[in-house]
Structures are given as C-alpha cells and as structure tokens.
Amino acid sequence: MTDLIFAATCDLAGKVRGKAFPSVQLDKRLARGVGWTPTNVQINCFDGIADSPFGALGDLLLIPDQTTSVSANFGTRTERFMLGDIVDLDGATWDFCTRSLLKSALARLEKVGGVQLLAAFEHEFQLKGKIRYSGDSYGRAGFEAQRGLCEMLMAQITAAGLSPDSIMKEYGPNQYEVVIDPEKGVRAADAAVIVRELTRSTARHLGEAVTYTPILDPASVGNGVHIHISFLNPDGAPATYDAKGPCGMSALTASFAAGVLKYLDSILALTAPSVVSYLRLTPHRWSAAYNSLGLRDREASLRVCPVTAKDPASIARQFNIEYRASDAAACPHLALAAILHAGIQGIEEGLSAPTPAEEDLSLLSPEDLAARGFIRLPETLEASLERFSENATVRGWFPNAFADVYLAHKASEIAHVAEMDVPAQCAAYAETY
C-alpha cells in the first residue's frame, strides 16, 4: 500500500481541497508542490462552478508547508495532510490564495501597529442524526455519550502539535464545543482548519457524522466560530491590555476594535458567508446582530472577554477581545484577514474606543441605534455582499480582482439554494459542512 499525503488549501468556500502524493515524494513536493488550476477557486460549497475569469486557462502550484503537517493515526488507518500556499509557476503569490491573503494582513498589522497576532478559534459543531439526549444542555450525560469521540479528538489535536483547552456538550441538540489554545500569526487559522478536519475524521472513524453548518434547525441554536484576538509586542510582551484604558483595552486595541465595528457590516460577507448564516445572526441567539462592543456580553459582535488572573502581568497575558460574527462556512484564513484589515484600518484612522452596549439593542429604533453609533447588521447574504461590494475601502484591502471573483463565487452559491425553502437550505448546508 502506498502511503499518501494530502496537500490542501482552504478555499473561498471554507472547503479543504487539494491533491494527494506518495510520501516518498515529500522533499520534491515541498519544493515544487502539486499542480493546481485557477478556476478551482470558483468551486462553491455545493461543488457548482461559478463564472470564472480564468476559464480553462492557466496553471498554478499548491506548495505544502511542512509546519502544518498532520498525521492522524486511527489504528487501522492513518490520515496525513498538509496545508499550503498557492503560487504561480514562477513562485509568485496567487491573488486568491486565502493563506497568502492572511499573511498580507499580518504583515500590514506589523507595519501599522508594530505588533504580532495571537489568536484562537472556538468551534461549535453538531452530531448528525437522531437526538440522543434532551434536557442535557452542558450536561454530563451528553458528554459521556460521546466521551470516546471527545477524548480521541483531543488526542488527535495534541498529536497535530496543537494545545487543546476544553471540550463539552453544548446547549443545542447533539451540539459540542471544542476549544484550543491560541497560536501566533497564520498558525492560528491553520489550527482552525486542522481542528475542523480532525473532528470530521474522528467522527468518521467512530461511525459518526458531524456538521459545522452555521445552523441546523432555524428553531434552535446555531454553530458559531468565536475568534479570540490579542497582540504581542516584538519582544513577546502582551500589547492588548491597559488597566487605564476603556474596558481594559490598550490604545492600539481600542482603535482596532473601533475599526472592526466600523467596517463590520462590510466584512460580514467574508466571516458569515452562507445563506443560512443570517438565520443565526439575530437578536437573542447569543450571536451578533448589531455592530456593538460588549463587556462580557455574549450578544455583542465584539466582546471584551473576562480574565481569571489577579496580578497585572497575568491579566495582560490573558486579556483578549472576541469576534462573534463568524461561522465555519468561512475560510478561517479569509475571515481572520478581513477582521485584521478592519482593525488595522481603525488604527490608521486613529479611531476612538467604542462605547459598550449595556441594553437590549433590538428594542431600539433605527434612529435611536444611529444616535448611539449602532446599526443592525445585514440580515441576508445578499445584503452583506452588497455592503462588501460598495465599500471601496474594504475592497482595497484585497487584490484588484478579488472582490469580483468572490461576488461571483457567492452568487453561484445563492443560486443553488434559491428555490429551496428554509429547512431544505439548512439541510443542504448541513450536508456540505
């Protein structure tokens, strides 16, 4: 039997695609990659192909990065894969490589803010099939029913070189949450992809099936991806916290947060990019419906998280802000790049710290919201895409052709589910994610 390694990219649809090669070729593939096709970027999450500017023309290379190497041993089978970067035949970065787009945002963060990123993705997923337990939100029985999956998943996460934090039975039916420790730079998004893939692999090995769909049942809860963000100075010292700053945020963090909230309605199409994402982004779902900052408020789009430390140095290390308007239909690299660019824009513009919301914003009129500096976020993917398309500043963060390609990509996805009712749409997304 030939041992194979899967070289992969996480694409605009948040899907992990690529090619496998014999492991004996690893050194060659690390240098020369595997062949890739430009129009692959327009494969949507349902495997339709959107209108492509590339047609049948062009060739690319997908170069695996050995630092992302995963070898998941399930006893009877070992799954090996690596994430990588897409380049042209001369080795130049390709404009639609999501991993490279994040690297560009990280470089801008260092240039403008003088800091490095430390981030972690917090994932919710659901087991598919019959609901095993009711009345067991956060319960031990629901956890014990899947202890084997939970323990095997945490072991695989550790074997992949990541640090697991916790796993639990979540509030929703058959819903679980897995959390890992933060990672620096692009590794944070790589880790998010790895966790999702290992969850699916572990479930398959145990005869289960999981979904990371944004929402399985519109009458129930959704599955969010909460992105925790903090900053490090070049010497590794924390740069996110200032005891005298607003809500404990340093001046840099406060401007970053203000930028994220200012441009949130225009980046939502990149962080919550499915048709059904907007069934979840509604008031009273503990998700995100307004461009609000919250101090330990789970209804806020951007939350200042609590810390358990008491001494100033430990508080500074723990302190972080949490972006809550995201789900697993989004490519982690692209979502994080959009958030970073929005925050960096806030730093460049010298924006002041936003005022935290302390009431139920759904009770306010549009006029009252505007007077407070809040808006209701787009309520459909089409509306989000329109905001993204019309915002020249946001489009300018990405390569020239990126916005048009992304809009065409999403238009094909919308068309695929346009004639379905809401339950059928939810079922379609549950199957693909």
Side-chain angles (χ1 to χ4, degrees), residues 119-123 178-180 188-189 192 196 225-228 332 335-336:
F121 289 65
E122 186 179 293
H123 287 96
V178 58
V179 183
I180 64 171
R196 295 179 196 178
V225 174
H226 303 151
I227 305 174
H228 294 260
L336 189 54

Side-chain angles (χ1 to χ4, degrees), residues 18 39 66 78 86 105 107 116 123 146 181 189 200 227 230 262 307 313 319 325 340 350 377 399 409 416:
T39 285
Q66 197 163 22
T78 299
I86 303 174
Q116 296 178 324
H123 287 96
Q146 292 298 332
D181 288 347
R200 296 181 176 108
I227 305 174
S230 57
K262 176 179 177 178
V307 297
F319 191 84
L340 288 178
L377 295 176
H409 180 106
H416 182 89

Side-chain angles (χ1 to χ4, degrees), residues 47 82 204 249 317:
D47 282 348
M82 295 181 187
R204 282 197 302 269
M249 294 185 290
R317 284 193 296 272

Side-chain angles (χ1 to χ4, degrees), residues 95-364:
D95 284 349
F96 306 99
C97 171
T98 56
R99 201 162 180 260
S100 298
L101 290 171
L102 174 56
K103 290 179 181 179
S104 177
L106 290 165
R108 185 184 176 207
L109 176 66
E110 289 198 43
K111 180 180 179 180
V112 173
V115 293
Q116 296 178 324
L117 175 74
L118 189 66
F121 289 65
E122 186 179 293
H123 287 96
E124 295 168 340
F125 65 90
Q126 285 174 280
L127 292 165
K128 296 164 75 174
K130 182 181 178 181
I131 297 173
R132 290 98 189 279
Y133 288 87
S134 61
D136 200 51
S137 301
Y138 311 112
R140 179 175 174 269
F143 169 77
E144 293 295 348
Q146 292 298 332
R147 175 182 284 272
L149 187 154
C150 293
E151 290 183 340
M152 184 177 290
L153 175 57
M154 295 299 248
Q156 295 296 351
I157 289 171
T158 301
L162 304 173
S163 299
D165 176 271
S166 59
I167 192 165
M168 69 174 184
K169 170 67 181 70
E170 249 285 0
Y171 176 77
N174 286 352
Q175 187 182 43
Y176 293 79
E177 179 185 78
V178 58
V179 183
I180 64 171
D181 288 347
E183 298 283 346
K184 293 181 181 179
V186 71
R187 178 69 171 169
D190 290 344
V193 176
I194 291 168
V195 167
R196 295 179 196 178
E197 292 303 295
L198 288 177
T199 306
R200 296 181 176 108
S201 293
T202 302
R204 282 197 302 269
H205 177 73
L206 296 175
E208 300 277 8
V210 301
T211 180
Y212 274 95
T213 184
I215 192 163
L216 191 59
D217 177 1
S220 186
V221 298
N223 295 303
V225 174
H226 303 151
I227 305 174
H228 294 260
I229 292 172
S230 57
F231 306 110
L232 299 173
N233 286 318
D235 62 359
T240 323
Y241 177 71
D242 182 347
K244 298 179 181 179
C247 301
M249 294 185 290
S250 66
L252 177 137
T253 306
S255 291
F256 183 95
V260 171
L261 295 176
K262 176 179 177 178
Y263 293 100
L264 179 53
D265 65 326
S266 297
I267 66 170
L268 197 60
L270 304 175
T271 67
S274 80
V275 171
V276 299
S277 295
Y278 297 83
L279 300 174
R280 187 180 79 86
L281 298 179
T282 57
H284 310 141
R285 281 188 181 270
W286 286 21
S287 57
Y290 303 88
N291 63 332
S292 59
L293 177 72
L295 182 61
R296 305 172 187 172
D297 179 3
R298 289 178 173 82
E299 281 282 304
S301 297
L302 197 65
R303 184 172 79 113
V304 177
C305 295
V307 297
T308 57
K310 303 300 180 183
D311 64 284
S314 297
I315 291 172
R317 284 193 296 272
Q318 285 189 14
F319 191 84
N320 68 92
I321 56 176
E322 177 190 35
Y323 182 90
R324 298 176 61 80
S326 185
D327 58 52
C331 168
H333 302 87
L334 184 56
L336 189 54
I339 296 164
L340 288 178
H341 278 303
I344 297 163
Q345 193 71 33
I347 296 171
E348 286 187 337
E349 295 177 14
L351 299 183
S352 300
T355 301
E358 296 182 345
E359 70 265 51
D360 184 349
L361 297 182
S362 69
L363 301 178
L364 301 182

